Amino acid sequence: MKRLLDKLAIALICLAGFSMAESFAAPVAALLVSVAVSSAVQLYTGRKAASCIILLWAVMCGFQPIFFCALPLMLYDALWEKKWWLTLPSLTVLVRLDGLIYPQLIISAMGVTIAVIIYMRVSKLEETVNKLTSLRDEITEKNMQLAEQNLRLAEAQDNEVHLATLRERNRIAREIHDNVGHMLTRSILQSGALMVINKDNDLKEPLESLKSTLDSAMTSIRESVHDLHDDSIDLKKVIEESIRTVDSRFDVTLDHDAGENIPGRIKLCIAGVVKEGLSNAAKHSDGNKISIVVREHPGFYQLSLTDNGHPGKIKESGIGLKNMQERAESIGGRISFTADDSGFRIFMSIPKG
């Protein structure tokens, strides 16, 4: 829009030159043709057609000198095309001055000067705008990168807090087991010994009640310790640690999409099957890729472990396969083993609840 307004101002200067012509039809026709040519140049700006149109107009000036009055307008277009020299053929009018008068030449010269000044001003302005736009885009990109880095940092901090919480739970569980558990065990043994050596019938019932209370307390402590320990297991971290122990010839990928509130016994089962599966792959597979997928669905948990080797016939009597089968069955899950041309696959599903 800015360029069109500038061209309108230059066209008004050209109009002054056209108005000094003695005839009426030729200047009007030349003005309309020049405006149409300028519009076509802007329409095809940046293309070869624009250059050809400017050159054709310049050559036309040699045959119809009245077109020379539109030189400021055409020069302005040529400057935007970075080919100002295309207007040079129009200067052949200066060789024969029979078609123009001196005031028209003076107005054209003034128009050329104004067109050059406007072009320089607008081009510098556009250059500045482009630089500012580029700077804005660069700042926006850096802000996006910074936001992404901040997000990763926040996730890393959350992960550290989570791991610290799990370590603290493990520590508490160990201390309860080592201290309170041992003292309760000793108390239970002592109460049992007292019941054996007791000869007083009046103390028999109190001693049995004491032992029953200690047994209940021991059971409660044991369950609490197991719950703390199970909650402190980070399944994804355990699997990643298992992956790090795999032979370097394997490219192992993990797709973990499960929540953190998985029961401890299920976490232990999945981790155990993954370890056993990785061990079997390292021993028997001739492939180089292993894919592990852990999914949590609304009604069940799912594990898939696949390698791209060329397995032979599955030996159901294998100790590793039996161990995985027993792990799955112990928590009500189902596991299957598939061997085909695409590789060996372990698939396990464990229902919730």
Side-chain angles (χ1 to χ4, degrees):
M1 180 59 70
K2 180 67 176 174
R3 183 175 171 184
L4 288 175
L5 293 175
D6 292 338
K7 290 175 69 172
L8 178 61
I10 296 172
L12 292 175
I13 298 174
C14 297
L15 181 60
F18 281 108
S19 65
M20 293 181 181
E22 296 179 356
S23 62
F24 177 77
V28 171
L31 176 61
L32 293 177
V33 171
S34 298
V35 170
V37 168
S38 178
S39 300
V41 170
Q42 184 158 347
L43 179 63
Y44 295 106
T45 184
R47 305 180 191 175
K48 186 180 292 185
S51 301
C52 293
I53 292 171
I54 295 173
L55 183 60
L56 182 62
W57 174 90
V59 172
M60 193 182 301
C61 290
F63 299 95
Q64 295 292 332
I66 191 63
F67 279 96
F68 188 79
C69 293
L71 177 61
L73 183 61
M74 300 309 303
L75 177 62
Y76 186 75
D77 285 326
L79 288 171
W80 280 108
E81 294 297 317
K82 310 298 181 184
K83 298 177 181 179
W84 61 269
W85 42 267
L86 290 175
T87 60
L88 290 179
S90 65
L91 298 181
T92 56
V93 173
L94 302 178
V95 177
R96 32 175 282 197
L97 298 177
D98 55 343
L100 297 174
I101 58 177
Y102 285 107
Q104 288 177 313
L105 296 175
I106 294 173
I107 290 175
S108 296
M110 292 173 57
V112 167
T113 304
I114 293 173
V116 172
I117 293 173
I118 292 176
Y119 167 76
M120 293 178 64
R121 179 181 62 83
V122 174
S123 61
K124 286 183 179 180
L125 179 61
E126 285 200 358
E127 183 179 353
T128 303
V129 170
N130 290 335
K131 287 182 179 179
L132 290 175
T133 302
S134 177
L135 181 61
R136 182 202 61 190
D137 293 343
E138 184 178 350
I139 292 174
T140 302
E141 182 180 359
K142 289 189 179 296
N143 285 337
M144 292 175 63
Q145 292 176 351
L146 182 61
E148 185 178 352
Q149 291 175 356
N150 288 338
L151 180 60
R152 286 200 297 265
L153 180 60
E155 290 176 350
Q157 289 175 340
D158 291 343
N159 187 49
E160 287 296 325
V161 171
H162 178 63
L163 292 178
T165 303
L166 298 183
R167 285 194 293 267
E168 183 64 14
R169 286 181 179 178
N170 259 332
R171 185 189 66 79
I172 294 172
R174 283 196 304 270
E175 289 192 1
I176 292 175
H177 178 270
D178 295 341
N179 297 324
V180 181
H182 288 173
M183 287 188 289
L184 282 175
T185 301
R186 186 170 59 183
S187 299
I188 291 172
L189 291 175
Q190 289 174 344
S191 64
L194 288 173
M195 289 175 63
V196 172
I197 64 176
N198 177 53
K199 303 298 182 181
D200 190 347
N201 290 332
D202 293 338
L203 294 176
K204 184 176 180 181
E205 185 175 345
L207 287 174
E208 289 178 352
S209 177
L210 174 62
K211 187 174 185 304
S212 176
T213 301
L214 290 174
D215 286 338
S216 297
M218 188 63 182
T219 301
S220 178
I221 287 293
R222 185 180 293 111
E223 290 176 353
S224 298
V225 169
H226 280 299
D227 289 342
L228 279 173
H229 176 68
D230 291 347
D231 289 342
S232 66
I233 297 174
D234 188 330
L235 180 59
K236 185 177 180 181
K237 184 175 178 61
V238 171
I239 295 176
E240 289 175 345
E241 289 176 351
S242 301
I243 290 174
R244 283 195 285 270
T245 64
V246 178
D247 194 325
S248 58
R249 68 187 172 93
F250 287 102
D251 178 20
V252 185
T253 59
L254 171 63
D255 182 0
H256 186 279
D257 184 16
E260 297 178 0
N261 299 322
I262 304 176
R265 60 196 183 93
I266 295 179
K267 291 181 183 178
L268 292 173
C269 176
I270 294 175
V273 171
V274 168
K275 289 180 180 179
E276 192 71 46
L278 292 175
S279 177
N280 282 353
K283 291 178 182 177
H284 306 296
S285 175
D286 60 351
N288 59 358
K289 292 182 180 180
I290 300 176
S291 173
I292 303 173
V293 179
V294 179
R295 288 271 191 275
E296 179 179 359
H297 298 281
F300 61 95
Y301 301 97
Q302 184 184 75
L303 167 67
S304 172
L305 191 151
T306 308
D307 70 72
N308 64 341
H310 300 83
K313 185 178 179 181
I314 298 178
K315 296 181 179 180
E316 297 291 344
S317 60
I319 296 177
L321 300 185
K322 279 188 174 181
N323 286 340
M324 288 187 275
Q325 186 81 37
E326 291 174 358
R327 285 180 183 274
E329 290 176 352
S330 67
I331 57 173
R334 299 182 62 183
I335 191 168
S336 63
F337 310 101
T338 306
D340 53 33
D341 294 338
S342 62
F344 183 74
R345 184 188 187 201
I346 300 170
F347 184 84
M348 180 174 67
S349 63
I350 304 169
K352 292 185 176 180

